[in-house]
Amino acid sequence: MKEFKNVCILDHPLIRHKLAILRNKNTDTKQFRELVKEIATLMAYESFKDVPTQEIEIETPLEKTTQTIVKENSIAIVPILRAGLGMVDGILSLFPAAKVGHIGLYRNEETLEPEEYYCKLPQNIEEKVVMVVDPMLATGGSACDAISMLKKRGCKNIKLMCVIAAPEGVRKVASAHPDVTIYISTLDRCLNEHGYILPGLGDAGDRIFGTK
């Protein structure tokens, strides 16, 4: 994805290790859910490196000093339902005060295009850094629509975090929203005729919630 400056592949040995177990068809629901959370935490560490900060004065046991903290009420996490929910706790473990919104989109199995059914966002979300999360970036339709929905509500600082992506999805989002940085842990080969990522890991929502 060198043609897009807004795509960042977070290639780290720990992430690769966890991803290998995540892909395995024999990984059970409990472990799959834990791995998604852990990978999200590792990805959040890097993808929030430019988080808004502020200086405060504190007093150590020895003297007063000025220190840097994350700016209060500066972050919102917006999972794309339902699979995106699996990544939320991983990010909250680093940013426990972050606000959480929800966007519900389902994929029309005939057109493969996303359709909206739910949207609930924190107050003043337009003032926050908004991280949209979804484990899989396949066709890119859901991510594009979710980002457009946020922009219509005034959001200007939007990021997208996905564990696995297909080239087709990355190209679609990167082209449609060049102002949005896309963070992925790995870029897979392609989509199959049903719009699933290869080699992928199957349906992330079903595997997180044990519905298949």
Side-chain angles (χ1 to χ4, degrees):
M1 291 292 114
K2 292 182 179 179
E3 66 264 38
F4 297 110
K5 295 181 179 179
N6 58 325
V7 179
C8 182
I9 300 177
L10 304 178
D11 184 25
H12 188 282
L14 273 176
I15 294 177
R16 291 200 301 268
H17 172 84
K18 293 178 184 298
L19 186 58
I21 305 170
L22 193 73
R23 290 186 191 271
N24 193 323
K25 67 178 184 179
N26 295 318
T27 298
D28 63 25
T29 300
K30 177 180 181 294
Q31 189 176 22
F32 190 93
R33 189 180 298 142
E34 291 171 349
L35 287 164
V36 170
K37 176 182 174 180
E38 292 165 3
I39 292 171
T41 301
L42 292 169
M43 294 183 69
Y45 180 83
E46 177 66 20
S47 57
F48 277 109
K49 65 182 181 181
D50 58 349
V51 66
T53 60
Q54 64 185 68
E55 301 295 313
I56 63 167
E57 186 178 84
I58 64 167
E59 190 168 353
T60 77
L62 299 176
E63 63 180 15
K64 289 184 178 180
T65 181
T66 300
Q67 296 290 297
T68 302
I69 63 170
V70 174
K71 191 173 182 180
E72 189 175 358
N73 293 321
S74 62
I75 296 172
I77 309 165
V78 179
I80 299 176
L81 301 178
R82 64 182 166 145
L85 290 172
M87 300 177 69
V88 173
D89 284 347
I91 303 173
L92 287 176
S93 67
L94 296 181
F95 301 100
K99 302 298 187 293
V100 180
H102 299 86
I103 290 178
L105 298 165
Y106 70 90
R107 183 168 66 168
N108 186 304
E109 293 302 327
E110 293 183 0
T111 65
L112 301 183
E113 292 299 316
E115 297 187 21
E116 176 188 344
Y117 67 88
Y118 186 77
C119 183
K120 182 72 173 179
L121 302 172
Q123 289 185 341
N124 303 316
I125 192 169
E126 70 279 0
E127 301 173 4
K128 305 179 189 300
V129 177
V130 183
M131 180 65 80
V132 179
V133 296
D134 195 352
M136 312 295 282
L137 180 57
T139 64
S142 294
C144 278
D145 280 14
I147 292 167
S148 294
M149 290 165 65
L150 290 166
K151 286 183 175 180
K152 287 178 182 178
R153 288 161 173 80
C155 298
K156 296 179 177 62
N157 194 341
I158 304 171
K159 300 170 182 279
L160 173 65
M161 183 195 296
C162 303
V163 177
I164 294 176
E168 297 91 330
V170 172
R171 290 191 182 95
K172 182 167 184 174
V173 178
S175 299
H177 300 285
D179 56 327
V180 173
T181 303
I182 304 167
Y183 296 92
I184 60 176
S185 72
T186 188
L187 185 68
D188 274 12
R189 188 173 72 252
C190 64
L191 297 176
N192 67 12
E193 65 274 17
H194 302 294
Y196 284 93
I197 300 174
L198 297 176
L201 47 73
D203 188 298
D206 284 336
R207 297 193 68 184
I208 288 169
F209 297 105
T211 46
K212 271 191 180 178

